[in-house]
Amino acid sequence: MRISVTTENEIYPLEVAQDLELENFKALCEMEVGIPAGEMMVVFNAQPLTDDKKTLKDYGVKDGELIMVIRGTTLLRRAAEHMQQQRQPQGGQRQQNQGPVPMGSGQDDPAVIRDMLLANPEQLALLRHNNPRLAEALTSGDLDKFASVLREQQEMRRDRERQRIRLLTADPFDMEAQRLIANEIQQENINANMEAAMEYNPESFGTVHMLYINCKVNGHDVKAFIDSGAQTTIMSQACAERCNIMRLVDTRWAGIAKGVGTQKIIGRVHMGQIQIENDFLASSFSILEEQPMDMLLGLDMLKRHQMCIDLKNNKLHIGTTGTATTFLSESELPDCARLTSLSEEEARRQSEKAAKESEDRALAEALAASSKEGNSGGASGSSASGATQHGDYGLQNTKSMEAMKKIALYLLYLENVEEIRFKAQTLLWQ
C-alpha cells in the first residue's frame, strides 16, 4: 500500500506492506527522512504510536493514509510553545486581530500598482489570465474599485499566511491541525499539477470557438451550430419568425427542454428543408422560446445524413451527398458565439452599417424595378399603333424616367457604394 510520511517541511511517498512492524517502519523512515529511529515519534490520527511490535495494520493504517514523523525534541518544543500560548491568549489574540496594514505611498499604493501594470503589457496579459477579477477592475478605470479588489485579495493572502504559520506551531495531536495540514498538502499537489500543465500542455488553457456553418432555411440565411451532443435539431423562435415557418409549428409538441438549464419548447416543425451549399436536406425542428443561437443541428440530423466532422480540414462532410462545407471562422460567428465580445461603440457602428446596407439594397431593388417598368412600357408603346398610343407611351415613359431620377438623386444624397453611385449618375445623364 502507498502512504505519505510528512515531517516539518517535507512529504515522502512510501510503498509499505500492511504487516510491517512499527520498528521496521521507523528504520525505513530513518533512511528516507534522516531522523534517528531512537529519537523518532510516529503520530497517526493525532495519536502517538508507541508499541514497536504492532504492525501498521494493527494501528488501522490503510492505503493513502498520512503519517507524521517528528523528532521527540521537536515535539517537546512544540508542546512548550503550545502551553505558553495557552498562558498568554490575550497577547496572541490581540496580534491576530490587528486590522489590515494601511496602504501607503510606496509599493502598496493602488495607484502605483495600477500604473506599473498598465505600463507593462506582458504583466497585464498575465493578470488577465491568472486574476480576471483584478484585471477587470484595473481596466475599468475606477481607482476606488481597483483599490477595493486589491485590498480584499491582499487580506486573503495575509489570512493564508497566518494560517500557514499556525500550522507550523500547532499541536501535532490536534485533529483540526491534521485536517488543515491535509488541505495544505492537497492544495500544493493541485498547484504542482497546474504548473506542469502550463509548462508541458499550455494549449489546454486556451479557449476554442464553436463549430458553425452557413445554411439557408426557407431562403433565409442562418448560421447553424453543429452539436453532436444534442439529441434533436432545434431553432429559436426569433429565427423561425424570420424564416416564416411559425405557421407550421405544432404546439402539441410543446414542453420543456432540459440540459444545461431548462428552456420552454413552443412546438415542433415536423418537416422543413435546410440548404447546405447546393444540397437540400429534410429535417425537423423543435422551436425553443428563448434560445440565443438561431439553429442547432443535433445528432438526429447528423446521423440521418451521415455527416462527419473533419477537424483536420475544418469541414463538415455530408455522407449522403458527398458535399463538404467549411466551418466558419471566429470573425464570421454570431455575437452569442464569439469569444471576444464587441464594445458598445463597435456594436453600434456595425448595427448602423448593417441598416445602411439594407436600405441601399432596398433602393437598388426599387431602381431595378423602375427600370424594368420603363422597358416594358417602351416595348408596349413600340408594338402599338396610332398617335394616341404613342402619346400614352411617351407619358408613361416620362413618368418612369422622373421616378428613376428621383431615386437616383436620393442614392447620391446617401453617398452609397461606388457601384450604386455609378448607376445613379448613369440614370441622371440619360
Side-chain angles (χ1 to χ4, degrees):
M1 64 179 179
R2 291 184 63 87
I3 62 174
S4 297
V5 175
T6 178
T7 60
E8 291 183 278
N9 302 314
E10 300 290 338
I11 300 175
Y12 302 89
L14 295 180
E15 186 79 30
V16 296
Q18 285 187 331
D19 56 355
L20 183 67
E21 294 181 351
L22 181 61
E23 59 180 354
N24 295 328
F25 176 73
K26 288 183 178 180
L28 178 62
C29 291
E30 181 178 359
M31 292 187 294
E32 292 290 336
V33 304
I35 299 177
E39 301 178 9
M40 187 182 299
M41 175 70 71
V42 180
V43 180
F44 175 65
N45 283 343
Q47 296 295 329
L49 309 184
T50 56
D51 191 347
D52 291 340
K53 297 302 180 181
K54 284 188 177 182
T55 63
L56 297 180
K57 184 178 180 180
D58 296 335
Y59 284 114
V61 179
K62 299 178 182 178
D63 187 40
E65 296 283 8
L66 177 68
I67 297 179
M68 176 179 287
V69 174
I70 195 170
R71 290 178 182 267
T73 55
T74 305
L75 183 61
L76 293 175
R77 175 176 56 81
R78 287 191 176 183
E81 291 177 353
H82 180 68
M83 293 298 294
Q84 184 177 3
Q85 289 178 359
Q86 293 293 330
R87 293 192 189 101
Q88 300 176 352
Q90 296 180 355
Q93 183 79 13
R94 205 178 305 118
Q95 183 178 2
Q96 291 182 5
N97 290 338
Q98 287 179 353
V101 178
M103 296 186 183
S105 58
Q107 294 295 325
D108 289 337
D109 188 359
V112 175
I113 296 175
R114 183 191 63 175
D115 294 340
M116 290 173 58
L117 291 173
L118 292 176
N120 193 332
E122 295 182 359
Q123 292 293 331
L124 185 58
L126 287 174
L127 184 67
R128 285 196 180 99
H129 186 272
N130 298 326
N131 197 338
R133 183 174 174 227
L134 186 61
E136 181 182 358
L138 174 66
T139 55
S140 66
D142 187 351
L143 180 59
D144 293 337
K145 180 180 179 181
F146 174 72
S148 175
V149 176
L150 179 64
R151 190 177 296 110
E152 178 185 346
Q153 294 188 357
Q154 286 179 338
E155 184 61 28
M156 291 174 61
R157 195 176 296 111
R158 293 191 192 97
D159 288 342
R160 287 196 297 268
E161 183 63 21
R162 285 195 291 265
Q163 182 178 353
R164 191 183 68 83
I165 293 174
R166 282 199 301 270
L167 286 177
L168 294 177
T169 60
D171 181 9
F173 302 108
D174 186 7
M175 290 295 294
E176 182 65 17
Q178 292 274 345
R179 185 185 65 80
L180 294 176
I181 291 173
N183 291 340
E184 188 75 15
I185 294 171
Q186 181 181 5
Q187 189 60 44
E188 288 181 0
N189 293 335
I190 293 172
N191 294 338
N193 181 261
M194 181 177 176
E195 290 174 2
M198 293 180 68
E199 181 176 358
Y200 300 107
N201 190 25
E203 60 272 14
S204 64
F205 294 92
T207 308
V208 295
H209 62 263
M210 309 304 285
L211 301 177
Y212 277 79
I213 62 170
N214 280 325
C215 64
K216 288 187 177 182
V217 177
N218 201 20
H220 294 267
D221 293 327
V222 175
K223 296 182 186 294
F225 172 48
I226 307 300
D227 188 2
S228 60
Q231 188 177 11
T232 59
T233 297
I234 64 175
M235 178 182 286
S236 68
Q237 181 181 2
C239 182
E241 291 173 352
R242 192 170 70 249
C243 296
N244 298 322
I245 60 173
M246 283 297 293
R247 56 190 173 83
L248 301 176
V249 175
D250 187 352
T251 56
R252 293 175 297 179
W253 294 72
I256 300 296
K258 295 183 179 180
V260 183
T262 59
Q263 288 188 356
K264 181 181 178 182
I265 301 176
I266 298 175
R268 186 171 186 260
V269 176
H270 297 295
M271 189 176 70
Q273 276 192 338
I274 302 175
Q275 182 182 355
I276 302 177
E277 299 295 338
N278 296 322
D279 296 339
F280 291 87
L281 308 177
S283 177
S284 59
F285 309 101
S286 294
I287 310 300
L288 271 63
E289 185 176 38
E290 296 179 359
Q291 173 67 20
M293 59 187 67
D294 286 344
M295 188 168 70
L296 183 149
L297 297 184
L299 193 60
D300 59 339
M301 181 75 173
L302 301 179
K303 292 187 69 174
R304 183 181 305 141
H305 299 286
Q306 301 172 14
M307 296 185 181
C308 178
I309 299 174
D310 183 1
L311 297 179
K312 181 179 180 180
N313 298 310
N314 198 37
K315 291 181 180 294
L316 177 69
H317 297 274
I318 304 174
T320 54
T321 62
T323 304
T325 184
T326 304
F327 291 117
L328 302 182
S329 61
E330 185 179 356
S331 61
E332 300 173 302
L333 297 182
D335 293 338
C336 63
R338 290 186 180 177
L339 301 178
T340 54
S341 58
L342 298 175
S343 63
E344 293 184 2
E345 182 67 20
E346 291 175 343
R348 184 184 62 80
R349 254 191 259 117
Q350 287 196 3
S351 177
E352 290 178 355
K353 183 180 178 181
K356 187 175 181 181
E357 289 178 354
S358 177
E359 190 174 3
D360 293 344
R361 204 178 305 113
L363 287 170
E365 291 175 359
L367 181 63
S370 298
S371 178
K372 186 182 294 184
E373 288 178 4
N375 293 335
S376 62
S380 61
S382 62
S383 62
S385 62
T388 305
Q389 290 177 345
H390 283 288
D392 293 339
Y393 159 70
L395 180 61
Q396 183 179 7
N397 195 25
T398 302
K399 290 182 177 180
S400 177
M401 289 302 297
E402 288 178 356
M404 291 165 63
K405 287 182 178 181
K406 286 181 180 179
I407 295 174
L409 287 171
Y410 187 59
L411 288 173
L412 286 174
Y413 172 75
L414 288 176
E415 295 182 357
N416 295 311
V417 294
E418 293 300 325
E419 183 180 356
I420 300 180
R421 287 173 61 84
F422 175 77
K423 289 182 180 180
Q425 290 173 353
T426 304
L427 288 170
L428 285 175
W429 284 105
Q430 290 179 355

